[in-house]
Amino acid sequence: MRRVRVIPTLLIDDDARLVKTVRFGARAYIGDPINAVRIFNQKEVDELVLLDIDASKSARPPAFAVIEDIVSEAFMPVAYGGGIRSMDDVATLFRSGIEKVVLSTSALETPELVTQIAERFGNQAVTVCLPVKTTLLGKHRVRIRGSQKDTGCTPESVAAEMIQRGAGEIIVYSIDRDGTYRGYDLALLRSVSRIASAPVVACGGAASLDDFRTAILDGGCAAVAAGSLFVYQGPKKGVLITYPTPEQLRVGLFDALSAEAEKRT
Amino acid sequence: MATSSAVITIIDYGVGNLRSIQNMLRYLGIDSKITSDLGKIARAGKLILPGVGKFDYGMTELRTRGMIEVLNRRVLEDGTPLLGICLGAQLLTRSSEEGELPGLGWIKGRTKRFDATKFDLASLRVPHMGWADTNFSDHPIAAGLNEARFYFVHSYHLETDEPQDVLCTTHYGYDFVAGVAHDNVVGVQFHPEKSHRFGMRVLQNFAGWK
């Protein structure tokens, strides 16, 4: 049976509260991140990505104490991103128990940091997250600083550069699909995974296990991430921390992937 | 020399996140100490060698901290049980394709880079990151581990000269050695501290071993 990682993406704000966005804009308060991690722990979640979405915008460092509290509750890998600017930040995070650091704004503004982290801690320690917005003309552009700044670069070019610099993984985060349940942007995922020699993680828009399956089989992704799907329930978006059971994942996702893999070999 | 066999000593040599291991042990009610003190390591009843990062960096840190002599004595002469995790497991081998320096050499074998040309699925990428089902041979560390899966994150994997030193195998592109065991030395490529109840079982078994 082929397993792929299914990753809840948790967003925290300036006050270390768990929030959820729509298109990187409108925010809803979800709750206490430590409580969410405890629940995900019980549900034997594969991995968590914790992103501080205000750190870069507010030009402040990561909230180390809060992060350490959150991570000490987790018995699965936790990747952290948001406001990481130096090797000191990175070393502190790893000492706290963070598995991987996620760079976005820093990766684009000081790309040498990616190389430094990879050289000191290994490629698998550094992930680059690319928030992507589609322009009116249908072009994909990477944005940073909480999606406020357009870098003018395509996700494919940035992904290729970052992998060359040592990034062990690329998260492609669709700003347009974020929080919308419209499904992943498969064309976007395909364009990046086609040229990426490192694993690509889909994020933004997932509404079901079907979306996970297509992201992997059609989008060429190695893993899938979701926010709304794991913190909300129902069309009225009641807050509920959830995750599929091992059985649901096996039947709804892994078996389909194995069957497809057998067909193609 | 008096040993405090109830307490597990987690070796701090500047690599790896030690707190996660301690957190899981604490959750299991198992006492542990994180230390870089050579005296404490020399008296340790049980040792864990963690590690995340590059082979040469790990070996250099062990050497400059004067830990290699102490560990050789404790492990090879005194027979102290030692569990290597991730990079810690790779350092147990003689060498790695990732680096130039020799490893501790307590396990006859080497650490090799994943050979993507041999993968049975072309879409698989290196590093191997994620959960994988792991099959164990008969060993006290493996007690109660049926249909176990663990979290892996690595670009290099173990290889042993002796088939009886293979503790467990996993499949990613091809079958590879995911754990080794020889006498009082055990090494696992995966992260027990990141593997929920499966990792807890491994740590529990190690704590109760010998």
Side-chain angles (χ1 to χ4, degrees):
Chain A
M1 183 182 69
R2 185 182 161 199
R3 290 188 183 279
V4 290
R5 290 169 293 145
V6 176
I7 308 167
T9 308
L10 298 179
L11 311 177
I12 53 173
D13 66 3
D14 268 330
D15 299 315
R17 303 178 314 167
L18 207 56
V19 295
K20 186 67 198 73
T21 50
V22 176
R23 294 192 200 88
F24 278 47
R27 290 189 191 185
Y29 169 69
I30 300 296
D32 168 32
I34 291 180
N35 195 45
V37 170
R38 282 204 190 114
I39 295 172
F40 282 130
N41 233 2
Q42 276 159 23
K43 294 181 181 294
E44 296 185 0
V45 162
D46 286 344
E47 180 173 329
L48 289 179
V49 168
L50 181 68
L51 300 176
D52 181 332
I53 57 175
D54 283 336
S56 276
K57 247 193 311 195
S58 309
R60 64 162 166 78
F64 294 114
V66 169
I67 295 164
E68 187 166 344
D69 282 346
I70 294 173
V71 162
S72 65
E73 294 286 335
F75 294 132
M76 79 291 258
V78 179
Y80 170 82
I84 298 170
R85 247 170 248 100
S86 68
M87 285 300 279
D88 276 343
D89 289 342
V90 173
T92 306
L93 289 166
F94 284 142
R95 264 198 308 274
S96 309
I98 289 289
E99 183 72 24
K100 278 181 269 187
V101 290
V102 182
L103 266 56
S104 204
T105 300
S106 286
L108 279 119
E109 291 184 349
T110 50
E112 57 275 10
L113 183 58
V114 174
T115 311
Q116 279 180 300
I117 300 170
E119 266 171 13
R120 164 97 185 267
F121 297 100
N123 308 73
Q124 74 292 332
V126 54
T127 296
V128 171
C129 176
L130 305 178
V132 179
K133 197 165 169 62
T134 308
T135 66
L136 290 170
L137 295 171
K139 303 256 186 261
H140 296 135
R141 290 284 180 265
V142 177
R143 297 181 78 96
I144 53 173
R145 297 216 165 262
S147 84
Q148 286 174 343
K149 183 171 163 197
D150 185 345
T151 61
C153 303
T154 63
E156 302 89 54
S157 62
V158 178
E161 190 199 333
M162 290 302 145
I163 291 169
Q164 227 215 356
R165 286 185 171 279
E169 183 178 62
I170 303 285
I171 301 175
V172 178
Y173 202 152
S174 167
I175 297 172
D176 301 305
R177 299 285 175 115
D178 172 50
T180 64
Y181 294 103
R182 283 175 50 220
Y184 290 122
D185 184 337
L186 288 174
L188 166 61
L189 296 175
R190 256 196 302 267
S191 69
V192 178
S193 66
R194 215 169 25 94
I195 56 89
S197 51
V200 173
V201 183
C203 195
S208 66
L209 291 179
D210 271 343
D211 288 332
F212 293 159
R213 190 172 44 81
T214 53
I216 292 155
L217 295 177
D218 299 334
C221 291
V224 289
S228 300
L229 192 60
F230 298 132
V231 303
Y232 288 133
Q233 171 150 63
K236 294 213 176 90
K237 292 187 15 174
V239 171
L240 184 72
I241 306 292
T242 60
Y243 193 78
T245 63
E247 187 64 17
Q248 282 170 328
L249 283 174
R250 189 179 64 77
V251 171
L253 183 60
F254 300 148
D255 280 350
L257 297 179
S258 300
E260 192 56 36
E262 272 175 46
K263 253 201 285 172
R264 292 180 185 188
T265 48
Chain B
M1 225 189 260
T3 59
S4 44
S5 53
V7 180
I8 294 181
T9 301
I10 303 171
I11 301 162
D12 180 0
Y13 62 113
V15 301
N17 65 62
L18 318 164
R19 218 152 289 171
S20 301
I21 299 171
Q22 189 165 58
N23 284 336
M24 187 176 264
L25 287 169
R26 186 183 302 125
Y27 183 82
L28 294 169
I30 298 165
D31 198 8
S32 69
K33 296 241 177 322
I34 294 174
T35 188
S36 53
D37 181 272
L38 299 181
K40 294 205 172 94
I41 293 172
R43 288 192 299 278
K46 269 206 177 96
L47 292 158
I48 289 184
L49 184 69
V52 171
K54 303 200 138 192
F55 194 86
D56 281 358
Y57 190 84
M59 285 311 298
T60 303
E61 286 299 310
L62 282 176
R63 185 168 299 285
T64 54
R65 289 158 191 265
M67 288 179 175
I68 297 184
E69 294 77 31
V70 175
L71 287 173
N72 276 335
R73 256 201 319 276
R74 203 78 193 116
V75 170
L76 297 177
E77 292 174 26
D78 300 338
T80 308
L82 180 138
L83 170 67
I85 294 175
C86 196
L87 175 66
Q90 294 179 351
L91 296 180
L92 303 177
T93 61
R94 289 186 170 134
S95 66
S96 171
E97 286 181 348
E98 188 181 22
E100 312 275 314
L101 299 175
L104 294 164
W106 300 334
I107 296 282
K108 294 198 187 75
R110 76 210 57 73
T111 298
K112 298 195 68 169
R113 184 163 170 75
F114 268 112
D115 184 353
T117 64
K118 295 206 170 82
F119 282 169
D120 56 11
L121 205 55
S123 56
L124 296 179
R125 299 277 180 266
V126 178
H128 169 212
M129 284 196 282
W131 291 75
D133 299 319
T134 302
N135 303 302
F136 285 82
S137 58
D138 228 346
H139 192 281
I141 291 281
L145 284 170
N146 303 309
E147 299 195 6
R149 56 190 175 91
F150 297 89
Y151 185 78
F152 289 81
V153 55
H154 59 130
S155 303
Y156 294 79
H157 62 84
L158 305 164
E159 221 181 53
T160 52
D161 292 344
E162 316 278 334
Q164 62 264 31
D165 286 349
V166 175
L167 172 68
C168 53
T169 59
T170 295
H171 186 92
Y172 183 75
Y174 48 80
D175 287 339
F176 66 92
V177 176
V180 290
H182 187 87
D183 292 341
N184 51 311
V185 176
V186 177
V188 292
Q189 180 65 68
F190 52 78
H191 287 270
E193 76 281 12
K194 306 283 184 181
S195 300
H196 296 299
R197 60 186 168 95
F198 306 102
M200 288 181 193
R201 179 46 68 122
V202 168
L203 291 181
Q204 225 158 14
N205 289 344
F206 178 65
W209 189 31
K210 286 195 166 112

